Amino acid sequence: MKRTSLTSWLWMIIGALYFLLPLIATADFSLRAEKNKLGFLAYERVFADPRFISTFTFSLYVSILTIIASIILVVPTAYWVRLRVPTFRRAFEFITLLPLIIPAVVLVFGLSRIYGKYPFQFMIETPALFVVGNVIFALPYMYRSVDIGLRAIDVHTLTEAAQSLGASLPYTLLRVIFPNITVALLSGAFLTFAIVMGEFTMASLLVQPAFGPYMQQISSSKVYEPSAVAIISFMLTWACTGAIQLLGRRSPGQTQVAGSR
Amino acid sequence: MKRTSLTSWLWMIIGALYFLLPLIATADFSLRAEKNKLGFLAYERVFADPRFISTFTFSLYVSILTIIASIILVVPTAYWVRLRVPTFRRAFEFITLLPLIIPAVVLVFGLSRIYGKYPFQFMIETPALFVVGNVIFALPYMYRSVDIGLRAIDVHTLTEAAQSLGASLPYTLLRVIFPNITVALLSGAFLTFAIVMGEFTMASLLVQPAFGPYMQQISSSKVYEPSAVAIISFMLTWACTGAIQLLGRRSPGQTQVAGSR
Amino acid sequence: MAFLTLTNIRKVFGMAVAVDQFNLQVERGEFLSLLGPSGCGKTTTMRMIAGFETPTAGTIHLDGKDMTNISPTKRNVGMVFQSYALFPHLSARDNIGFGLKIAGQSKDAIAKRVNEMLALIKMQPQADRFPHQLSGGQQQRVALARALAVKPQVLLLDEPLSALDAKIRESLRNEIRDIQRALNITTVYVTHDQEEALSVSDRVVVMSAGHIEQIGTPLEIYSQPQTLFVADFVGSMNFIPGTVIDNKGNVRCASHTFNVGTNVSAFSANTAVRLALRPEELRVYNREPQQPDSFPVTLNSAEFMGTTYRLHLAAGELGTLLAEVPANYARTLHTAVGAPLQVQLPSEMLRVFTA
Amino acid sequence: MAFLTLTNIRKVFGMAVAVDQFNLQVERGEFLSLLGPSGCGKTTTMRMIAGFETPTAGTIHLDGKDMTNISPTKRNVGMVFQSYALFPHLSARDNIGFGLKIAGQSKDAIAKRVNEMLALIKMQPQADRFPHQLSGGQQQRVALARALAVKPQVLLLDEPLSALDAKIRESLRNEIRDIQRALNITTVYVTHDQEEALSVSDRVVVMSAGHIEQIGTPLEIYSQPQTLFVADFVGSMNFIPGTVIDNKGNVRCASHTFNVGTNVSAFSANTAVRLALRPEELRVYNREPQQPDSFPVTLNSAEFMGTTYRLHLAAGELGTLLAEVPANYARTLHTAVGAPLQVQLPSEMLRVFTA
């Protein structure tokens, strides 16, 4: 047994290094803005840049809208598919995977061609189209998370149990299904957040003042700041994950994180 | 029952439209390169462009290397984790999700800082570093697919059954585990393929002659060709999916596609 | 009209007929079981009573009202599932109160009724636990209380004990029976376990391939099976193929002739039949002294069953016969493998079925 | 030294002691069962014999050789799992041949042996089917053939029938027993089902909380349980709490006094004990005529069990007693709920345990 657990620790360390080395290298680099000295100069410069704040806030705003829209779109749909048309589940799952397959360029083209015309042109003038695009991009992750959450509970029997006690379908969805997939929803929301914050292609094609293009732009114009920005956004997402893990541990009976089965 | 199935068809159609409309709009647009006439002029131009062929071939080559490298890296690891250190499974799964969280820019910075130095500088001069980066990007999908494949079979008991019949662990991995997760592997390979073909950020930072930057570049310089390229690459990935579904149907006992549970 | 009446029920899924020609009358307060192998339509029948499926044809009346097309949310039928189906995010107490809350009862009324129910299932100490903190048996008791809290007209139980261990299964089935008696609630119980059905029911409906094979009390089902299917499905049974040779009740089985009395008058001569006899109805003796009407057999193996031994006997042309004898009596027999024994088939016990 | 010997085996997982002070000798060709509730250590013990776990202390010898630290791939031990564990991508034939191929046998030798095995389990017609095309019972028979094909020295079966239906469970356990006898292979069978253990084993090891409670033949285990645990776990048992009042075998239970003969000589006066009696050992009569040494009881409920009725009797201060009487005899009793009956506890049957 000793040998086994030694070997497995070794594997763990190799795996961790594989991912952490680039991160450490980046962090190290971000601290070397001043010659021959480790320091937070690059970070100070980043926080002093008003465009950092404005793009960050804008992407945050868009990601919240995206999360709300995805949940409203995905949860009743996934519930309905599981409950009433389980034969379509594979077809449906395939549809939600399409955004991974269809290149972003196609999506943006298509969306702007549809929504660029009367009476939809307001979509182009506001971030609405950007939100719609992000909902589509985030769909595979959100649908997958929700579906895994629904799989962990016995949707069919719980619904019938609620019905036999007099509950309507909307009541069941709100009072029985939602409370039992909160962790899955959080996990989907977190992935959506990470995707929206880092999204570049669509933001630049639609000329949105988003965080992705900002990162891209300082990457090509500055030396140390890009590393600092990267580390900041990594810390942020890491904090989100931690929060979800904590919430997951508290919730009774349903400690399933979408990633964990 | 009539009403129910009507409603569900309606949902299906709405869902399909939501995704297909952009695609149809793009396809339609790609056929309008000649004035007042539908035709394949844009496609002819694309195929006539030598850079289309060369970047496409290059990305295809990289994606095959990436798939092989990922399978060699992921399958024994996922098997080992399930078998010997199941307590680390969540930690491990989290690690494989990191590439979704760490922005591409960070990864590229980090990788080139590590591998740009002696004795690794050959990595920068060949596509090797690009392959390594792609393996990392594809990791969440490949690991997830393989893990779902392993979940569908009872890894633990099958391994013990093989052991009690005299089979070593490597023999078990090759002769028992591999043949029973082929569909999962195909599904992971397919997602990896789609990702590598569409990858833009890393390819352009590392100045690789890849398909992603080519698509991006013609998007900004041509009018109809980008749509044509998008449709071509969509057709291609669709064909891959179809092939996997067919293979999945034939394989005895193990018809599980990673996306389907 | 009976309290719960199913008339000419038929249910088709696509091309498959799940239930057909199903007629049943359940009296108020009766405990009725639907018994059959998986896929026989028993669960589909129950789901039609609950309203989760709509019959393709036929009607369902409850207390005189036509329920056939009423939504399950309006039926006032309590349901207990094999998988318990407790709401994971609610405590035992809140699970039991769920239906009362939907019915719009006041907080006080809900609290009072929930406490009554907790007392009924003897689970006051666990009232604030969540389902995942309860054992399987406790969860199923909470599910029972939840179904009963809203005072349903009919209680439906769908294989409620299948997921539990043998010992808990036995004690919980008696508890369910006691509660059913105490509340005098009309109950339909679905199970594939014949011991369960026989031990708790007032009447049993044996089903196979979507239709009713026999309706009767447990004793009738066990001792007077009307069809070959029931004889085979309920309990153990020896079947001996033979041919009716006259109208005086003589049946030839290989070189043996058995007189089965008037049972056989319904069959004309030369009909191929199967004689059926339960293992405990066979009489087994040592080879000496010779018993009248007996024939020699050899012991293949003996299974110890606690109160009884089950003997596997090689009976030559008649194949293998199964006999069950009390453990005390078995001690007087030769029980080495290969031991010579003799067997009597009491003609008054022999049942006759068309082959 | 016996064929398979476990000496002072102890297994600790982290802080938890799974198995302790385990000593067992299994003779060549013996069919031995490990019986106990889940978590009693029976599966861990079997996994140590198979080599999947290494004992924390103690030794395992097989045919005179120390196997304690040998890899499972080198033990020549056949294993059958609850979940069948057939290789899904291989046909029944290739599954059975898997171990032979690893052993490097020639194609002809493999084909010959596989055909023998297919004949043994009577599955030649299904030889080329894949596991998912076979029923559960068929899959388990293939798994048995696969384990036996390599001619193991010991066959280990880990709850092999738990995933199957009752009827198939019974027939397959007899088939396993017949094959075991035919091959005379030393077999260790793990189960939590006492009926299974009693019916097929030569000897049974009853385990609880990691240690051995009793080793004996099925009859010994059932009729002479050595500990309260065995008495409670194997079969049904009535327990009546009481106090020893003298050294002549008199035990007072509430207002009753029972003479249990010399059984009680091991206990000094005033020891708190529990008298134990199986339901079938109680004698039940109608209230009239009065039987000697009997006391009145009331019928709470009667469960029909096919060959017997199980009566739940309210016995006042003694609580509820369970009696099992033959169905024929039950017909002579008053069986309405609340019927007045009387009960005799035969003193020669009463077992005594420390409370």
Side-chain angles (χ1 to χ4, degrees), chain B residues 187-236:
Chain B
S187 154
F190 155 68
L191 286 171
T192 305
F193 174 73
I195 287 160
V196 175
M197 294 307 286
E199 207 288 324
F200 166 75
T201 317
M202 193 167 51
S204 57
L205 286 171
L206 292 177
V207 206
Q208 298 287 319
F211 193 56
Y214 168 74
M215 284 215 296
Q216 188 77 10
Q217 189 221 316
I218 66 164
S219 304
S220 49
S221 60
K222 304 282 176 82
V223 183
Y224 299 99
E225 285 82 345
S227 304
V229 170
I231 293 297
I232 291 166
S233 72
F234 176 72
M235 290 295 183
L236 195 82

Side-chain angles (χ1 to χ4, degrees), chain C residues 40-266:
Chain C
C40 73
K42 57 191 191 300
T43 294
T44 304
T45 305
M46 160 167 293
R47 290 172 60 78
M48 287 190 282
I49 301 173
F52 299 134
E53 306 286 353
T54 312
T56 310
T59 56
I60 298 173
H61 285 80
L62 179 60
D63 202 9
K65 278 188 299 239
D66 185 345
M67 285 287 172
T68 319
N69 292 301
I70 303 292
S71 152
T73 60
K74 310 265 185 251
R75 287 207 184 189
N76 199 19
V77 154
M79 181 98 190
V80 175
F81 300 84
Q82 179 178 346
S83 57
Y84 323 137
L86 293 181
F87 305 126
H89 65 300
L90 296 180
S91 65
R93 183 185 299 283
D94 291 341
N95 263 287
I96 297 172
F98 188 88
L100 302 168
K101 202 172 152 198
I102 291 173
Q105 296 199 14
S106 73
K107 277 201 174 176
D108 290 350
I110 294 177
K112 185 163 165 291
R113 180 72 181 154
V114 169
N115 284 328
E116 277 172 37
M117 287 293 120
L118 284 166
L120 186 71
I121 59 169
K122 300 181 198 91
M123 276 189 55
Q124 292 107 325
Q126 293 88 22
D128 295 308
R129 296 225 185 128
F130 287 93
H132 69 101
Q133 297 167 318
L134 298 171
S135 72
Q138 289 174 328
Q139 288 189 56
Q140 197 57 297
R141 273 147 74 202
V142 173
L144 182 67
R146 181 180 66 177
L148 291 171
V150 293
K151 300 188 177 161
Q153 292 180 283
V154 178
L155 177 64
L156 305 177
L157 302 118
D158 186 8
E159 306 253 8
L161 308 178
S162 301
L164 300 168
D165 278 350
K167 289 243 161 183
I168 295 162
R169 211 151 57 209
E170 272 187 40
S171 72
L172 193 51
R173 86 183 178 212
N174 289 317
E175 201 173 325
I176 290 174
R177 178 56 160 158
D178 291 346
I179 289 174
Q180 186 270 339
R181 280 244 178 79
L183 304 180
N184 194 36
I185 184 168
T186 313
T187 300
V188 179
Y189 189 105
V190 162
T191 182
H192 67 274
D193 181 328
Q194 41 116 352
E195 183 186 311
E196 223 167 271
L198 295 183
S199 61
V200 297
S201 317
D202 293 320
R203 276 195 305 158
V204 177
V205 178
V206 183
M207 292 182 70
S208 127
H211 66 273
I212 296 178
E213 289 275 341
Q214 186 171 353
I215 305 182
T217 65
L219 185 62
E220 284 165 5
I221 297 285
Y222 187 82
S223 51
Q224 298 154 38
Q226 297 299 308
T227 67
L228 198 60
F229 177 85
V230 177
D232 193 26
F233 187 74
V234 178
S236 296
M237 190 72 89
N238 290 296
F239 289 104
I240 305 166
T243 313
V244 177
I245 50 175
D246 56 23
N247 58 7
K248 296 183 190 100
N250 286 311
V251 175
R252 164 135 33 232
C253 303
S255 60
H256 299 267
T257 302
F258 300 103
N259 188 297
V260 296
T262 50
N263 281 338
V264 88
S265 58

Side-chain angles (χ1 to χ4, degrees), chain B residues 25-251:
Chain B
T26 309
D28 174 70
F29 189 69
S30 74
L31 297 174
R32 295 183 183 279
E34 283 172 279
K35 246 184 185 160
N36 302 323
K37 182 177 167 241
L38 290 178
F40 290 94
L41 184 61
Y43 291 85
E44 282 163 30
R45 286 193 199 138
V46 166
F47 284 117
D49 184 349
R51 288 186 53 240
F52 171 77
I53 305 294
S54 72
T55 57
F56 188 86
T57 321
F58 177 79
S59 281
L60 190 66
Y61 167 66
V62 169
S63 71
I64 290 167
L65 290 180
T66 304
I67 288 167
I68 294 171
S70 326
I71 289 178
I72 293 175
L73 179 74
V74 167
V75 177
T77 310
Y79 175 58
W80 182 263
V81 169
R82 278 213 163 242
L83 198 64
R84 288 283 184 259
V85 283
T87 42
F88 288 168
R89 246 187 74 227
R90 288 184 78 152
F92 221 90
E93 185 138 16
F94 179 71
I95 288 177
T96 65
L97 283 176
L98 283 183
L100 284 181
I101 298 165
I102 304 176
V105 197
V106 182
L107 266 180
V108 177
F109 262 98
L111 286 175
S112 54
R113 281 187 57 77
I114 295 171
Y115 295 113
K117 291 175 191 159
Y118 179 84
F120 292 116
Q121 78 273 45
F122 73 93
M123 300 277 291
I124 293 276
E125 287 149 20
T126 65
L129 186 57
F130 187 48
V131 171
V132 169
N134 274 313
V135 168
I136 295 180
F137 275 125
L139 201 84
Y141 306 97
M142 185 55 90
Y143 185 85
R144 181 58 70 93
S145 296
V146 169
D147 199 53
I148 287 176
L150 290 176
R151 188 198 310 150
I153 59 179
D154 182 351
V155 170
H156 226 271
T157 316
L158 286 184
T159 303
E160 291 188 347
Q163 283 188 304
S164 75
L165 295 166
S168 65
L169 271 190
Y171 187 95
T172 307
L173 180 61
L174 275 175
R175 296 302 184 86
V176 176
I177 303 302
F178 254 105
N180 283 303
I181 58 168
T182 45
V183 179
L185 285 179
L186 277 172
S187 154
F190 155 68
L191 286 171
T192 305
F193 174 73
I195 287 160
V196 175
M197 294 307 286
E199 207 288 324
F200 166 75
T201 317
M202 193 167 51
S204 57
L205 286 171
L206 292 177
V207 206
Q208 298 287 319
F211 193 56
Y214 168 74
M215 284 215 296
Q216 188 77 10
Q217 189 221 316
I218 66 164
S219 304
S220 49
S221 60
K222 304 282 176 82
V223 183
Y224 299 99
E225 285 82 345
S227 304
V229 170
I231 293 297
I232 291 166
S233 72
F234 176 72
M235 290 295 183
L236 195 82
T237 45
W238 187 277
C240 285
T241 318
I244 288 173
Q245 295 276 346
L246 275 180
L247 281 167
R249 223 161 274 172
R250 287 230 200 96
S251 122

